[in-house]
Amino acid sequence: QVQLVESGGGLVQAGESLRLSCAASGSIFSTNPMAWYRQVPGRQRELVASVTRGGRTSYADSVKGRFTISRDNAKNTVYLQMNSLKPEDTAVYYCNAPYFGGGKYQWGQGTQVTVSS
């Protein structure tokens, strides 16, 4: 069974940076695009950034120019470099393979990112 394990979250001040990591079991990285999502309590999970198998990236307008998604297929790991963080970036961040607007695999536990003003 594929497992997705997110890490790297924390509490930072506005303007600071964090780097999230997502390690996946199995061989999903070789066959799937990957994406980062985030969710605030009471709101739907939203797609933040995605990367194809070939490395092509796309971003939500709210993070464009501040976040960078990347992947290391040899390590089955996807990263999210988050710079110039804002309080509105506060959320639980998850990774998954995007699939019809949601995630293809069972969601992991996520990693909490809290940005103070």
Side-chain angles (χ1 to χ4, degrees):
Q1 183 176 353
V2 173
Q3 289 186 321
L4 299 164
V5 181
E6 301 90 350
S7 63
L11 171 62
V12 297
Q13 293 187 336
E16 294 184 339
S17 299
L18 280 173
R19 189 193 194 207
L20 306 184
S21 299
C22 170
S25 62
S27 60
I28 65 170
F29 274 77
S30 64
T31 58
N32 287 289
M34 292 298 297
W36 282 96
Y37 302 78
R38 65 187 180 187
Q39 187 170 26
V40 175
R43 297 178 63 179
Q44 280 192 326
R45 194 166 357 225
E46 64 169 337
L47 177 65
V48 174
S50 63
V51 57
T52 66
R53 290 176 291 166
R56 187 170 61 202
T57 59
S58 64
Y59 299 92
D61 287 343
S62 59
V63 306
K64 203 170 293 183
R66 299 187 298 121
F67 290 11
T68 302
I69 188 172
S70 61
R71 62 191 291 160
D72 186 332
N73 292 340
K75 296 182 178 179
N76 281 355
T77 301
V78 61
Y79 305 98
L80 186 67
Q81 177 67 43
M82 305 187 296
N83 298 329
S84 302
L85 282 161
K86 303 176 181 180
E88 51 264 43
D89 295 319
T90 296
V92 179
Y93 284 72
Y94 302 86
C95 69
N96 211 319
Y99 188 73
F100 290 102
K104 187 174 183 179
Y105 300 100
Q106 184 175 351
W107 295 97
Q109 83 287 350
T111 186
Q112 175 71 48
V113 172
T114 303
V115 184
S116 64
S117 58

